[in-house]
Amino acid sequence: MMQLAWGLTVTQLNQHIKALLDADEILQDVWVRGEVSNLTQSAAGHVYFTLKDAESSIRCVMWRSLAGRLNSLPAHGEMILARGYVSVYTVQGVYQFYVEDLRPLGAGLLHLEFEALKAKLAAEGLFAPERKRPLPAFPRTIGVVTSPAAAAYQDILRVLRQRFPLVRVILAPTLVQGELAPVQIVEAIRALNRYRREYDIDVIIVARGGGSLEELWAFNDERVARAIAASEVPVISGVGHEIDFTIADFVADHRAPTPTAAAAAAVPDQAQLREQIRAAKASLTEAMAAKLSSERESLKRHETNLTRVAPVARLAYDRQRVDELVYRAKLLVEHRLSSLRHQVEGRLVRLRGLDPQAVLVRGYAIVSRRDTGRTVSSLAHIERGMPLDVRVQDGVFGAIVE
Amino acid sequence: MSDRPIEELTFEEAMRALEQVVERMESSELSLDETLALFERGMRLAQRCETLLDQAELRVAELTELLKGGTESLS
């Protein structure tokens, strides 16, 4: 850029300054804390305000799209933690803080701490799914770490009583917020572990009702996280509401969204157990009935077989055989008799046919020689003049041969 | 488990035993006598589970009290 006698233009000057600032790494992504004042929102929706501390202030801009992501705009006088970049609005020759994200200061700092601890413990592997132990199906005793004064405790007892009153509860009372809480929570978890065999403590519930980030802070404490990780007894965390996730939730063997849900996760439901028992009884009865039925069938089959080979049956069978044989014998004899009768009849007829008398009736005569009495059956037996006897059916007369 | 009387079984023991009985009844080829015996045992186990549930009352104790007073306070 040429330095002429009459100098730079304002635009050139402002742009030079802008280039300087835009080249600075720190200014491209910086967190700033301060008090909010003079907050306005333009018709277009962009948010303008001033951030200040005791001695200085800086103008801030937050574009509508980014401001839209906030739950609410900060209030006048509120301490916030804002993140963004610094640049120059060359038109007016001012440098501004362009805010991309902001949050209340207290929550903001805590949030950063939370993220840092979460990253650290995750890197150590404390959140690994393989570390998480299964919960016992029928716990004998549940250790509860919470405040006895809080509604959360009563909620837990109510759910346990309703679902599985067979279980026993040992309360290890603690504060659940404030500076002293983490130490007490740690000690409670350790104590329950120490006496786990003596009292058959099978699972621990660490619980606290809903609250703000600050109120839940004890459950983001590193000491509490490590105590849960070191617990030999499986731990269920039930802290805050469904949307709250504390470090304790990440380390626990099972995270429940609320204290009530934690109690429900710890025990089976007796309604379901009763149904299982009822179903078991039905199965037993069915199997029993089926067995009886099959035995009955088997018995009937045996009966039928026995009846077939029994002596009584045998006798009846033999009797029937005898009857049959007798009948057949009779038939044979009759048949034979009948056949013989036929033969005799036949012979009789032939005999009758041979009867001389029958011949005579038919008109024939028996001629015989008077002198010898011998029958004449041929011309050779006779001569002329020989006396003959001629027998006809009703008598005899003489005849002489011509 | 079959040697301890049913009245002495814990809920978990009784439930598991019941499960096993049902499995045996449904699967294998048993004699009529065995089936009858299993049926009776199964029904008694089911009864034991139901009785335990019916008679149960949630017992609650506080740890420091317990430790002071010894183990009697819990059962």
Side-chain angles (χ1 to χ4, degrees):
Chain A
M1 203 177 15
M2 256 199 338
Q3 275 273 53
L4 299 179
W6 47 92
L8 302 167
T9 65
V10 175
T11 302
Q12 287 167 336
L13 180 63
N14 284 355
Q15 280 174 349
H16 176 69
I17 295 171
K18 178 172 161 61
L20 274 178
L21 291 188
D22 288 346
D24 182 273
E25 249 186 60
I26 293 176
L27 293 180
Q28 294 320 300
D29 185 9
V30 62
W31 285 90
V32 178
R33 66 178 188 277
E35 184 183 322
V36 171
S37 66
N38 300 335
L39 188 139
T40 60
Q41 197 165 13
S42 74
H46 306 308
V47 179
Y48 299 90
F49 59 98
T50 302
L51 261 188
K52 64 181 193 179
D53 60 22
E55 291 142 11
S56 320
S57 68
I58 184 171
R59 284 165 59 154
C60 304
V61 184
M62 195 173 189
W63 303 130
R64 185 197 58 187
S65 55
L66 297 167
R69 290 203 217 129
L70 298 176
N71 289 336
S72 60
L73 292 179
H76 179 92
E78 191 177 338
M79 292 292 291
I80 65 167
L81 191 64
R83 180 187 194 173
Y85 62 92
V86 179
S87 187
V88 175
Y89 183 39
T90 53
V91 171
Q92 289 183 8
V94 290
Y95 65 88
Q96 295 183 118
F97 182 30
Y98 294 84
V99 176
E100 291 168 317
D101 187 17
L102 67 84
R103 59 194 68 203
L105 179 61
L109 284 176
L110 288 179
H111 182 79
L112 288 175
E113 227 181 288
F114 173 84
E115 292 294 335
L117 181 60
K118 185 174 163 192
K120 172 175 157 186
L121 296 181
E124 284 181 37
L126 291 193
F127 303 162
E130 307 83 59
R131 278 194 84 254
K132 301 196 187 301
R133 290 157 294 191
L135 302 178
F138 298 98
R140 293 163 297 179
T141 304
I142 299 179
V144 178
V145 177
T146 195
S147 163
Y153 180 54
Q154 297 306 323
D155 286 340
I156 289 173
L157 291 182
R158 180 176 42 87
V159 169
L160 292 177
R161 201 171 277 126
Q162 186 186 323
R163 284 171 67 95
F164 197 62
L166 278 167
V167 76
R168 304 183 301 194
V169 171
I170 295 184
L171 169 70
T174 65
L175 292 173
V176 288
Q177 73 181 63
E179 291 212 355
L180 299 176
V183 170
Q184 290 192 2
I185 295 171
V186 167
E187 189 41 46
I189 294 174
R190 289 206 187 127
L192 288 171
N193 266 271
R194 214 160 30 242
Y195 294 101
R196 70 183 185 279
R197 290 212 183 83
E198 198 162 333
Y199 298 118
D200 296 328
I201 301 175
D202 293 325
V203 69
I204 291 175
I205 295 178
V206 173
R208 197 224 120 89
S212 67
L213 183 58
E214 286 93 342
E215 287 170 330
L216 300 181
W217 194 247
F219 297 89
N220 286 324
D221 190 287
E222 182 169 355
R223 295 164 290 181
V224 170
R226 293 195 185 281
I228 292 176
S231 170
E232 308 241 350
V233 179
V235 173
I236 301 175
S237 68
V239 177
H241 294 311
E242 283 81 358
I243 51 158
D244 297 311
F245 276 84
T246 59
I247 303 269
D249 289 321
F250 294 119
V251 193
D253 295 281
H254 179 89
R255 182 238 173 203
T258 61
T260 302
V267 294
D269 186 4
Q270 67 170 308
Q272 194 180 10
L273 293 174
R274 284 177 191 277
E275 176 52 36
Q276 284 174 11
I277 295 170
R278 190 208 59 77
K281 289 205 275 196
S283 295
L284 288 174
T285 309
E286 239 182 75
M288 187 75 244
K291 183 68 180 174
L292 281 174
S293 179
S294 106
E295 287 290 307
R296 218 171 268 134
E297 282 302 315
S298 191
L299 195 61
K300 260 174 45 181
R301 272 201 311 277
H302 287 317
E303 257 180 7
T304 312
N305 288 343
L306 274 176
T307 315
R308 237 191 302 120
V309 302
V312 174
R314 187 87 199 153
L315 271 179
Y317 176 73
D318 288 342
R319 208 169 276 140
Q320 187 173 351
R321 279 292 286 161
V322 166
D323 284 346
E324 244 171 69
L325 287 171
V326 163
Y327 178 70
R328 281 170 59 192
K330 273 167 70 172
L331 275 182
L332 273 175
V333 165
E334 275 171 14
H335 191 256
R336 190 100 180 100
L337 275 179
S338 162
S339 153
L340 282 175
R341 215 173 271 132
H342 261 111
Q343 283 181 31
V344 167
E345 289 287 346
R347 298 226 171 111
L348 264 180
V349 165
R350 278 168 60 201
L351 265 182
R352 278 199 204 101
L354 292 173
D355 184 6
Q357 192 66 17
V359 176
L360 292 179
V361 165
R362 291 215 301 278
Y364 291 92
I366 301 176
V367 180
S368 52
R369 286 166 61 147
R370 190 167 300 153
D371 55 2
T372 61
R374 310 253 329 254
T375 318
V376 173
S377 59
S378 135
L379 289 175
H381 295 155
I382 53 163
E383 314 177 323
R384 194 169 275 138
M386 186 179 283
L388 300 171
D389 285 322
V390 181
R391 172 181 286 278
V392 290
Q393 71 170 305
D394 50 0
V396 182
F397 66 88
I400 303 219
V401 178
E402 288 178 357
Chain B
M1 206 183 294
S2 13
D3 46 347
R4 282 179 56 209
I6 290 184
E7 299 73 44
E8 281 179 25
L9 295 178
T10 66
F11 184 83
E12 176 167 14
E13 287 169 336
M15 276 294 271
R16 302 240 184 265
L18 176 58
E19 227 174 282
Q20 282 177 2
V21 166
V22 170
E23 244 170 78
R24 277 201 72 201
M25 280 277 275
E26 286 179 340
S27 61
S28 51
E29 281 301 310
L30 303 167
S31 74
L32 183 57
D33 279 337
E34 287 171 328
T35 310
L36 277 167
L38 267 185
F39 176 77
E40 195 190 337
R41 180 175 163 77
M43 294 304 266
R44 284 176 58 212
L45 283 168
Q47 189 54 55
R48 168 80 180 152
C49 289
E50 282 173 339
T51 303
L52 283 172
L53 284 176
D54 291 337
Q55 294 177 347
E57 274 183 33
L58 188 70
R59 286 152 298 168
V60 182
E62 200 249 306
L63 185 60
T64 48
E65 293 301 318
L66 258 189
L67 295 178
K68 279 190 219 144
T71 54
E72 320 95 29
S73 349
L74 186 56
S75 19

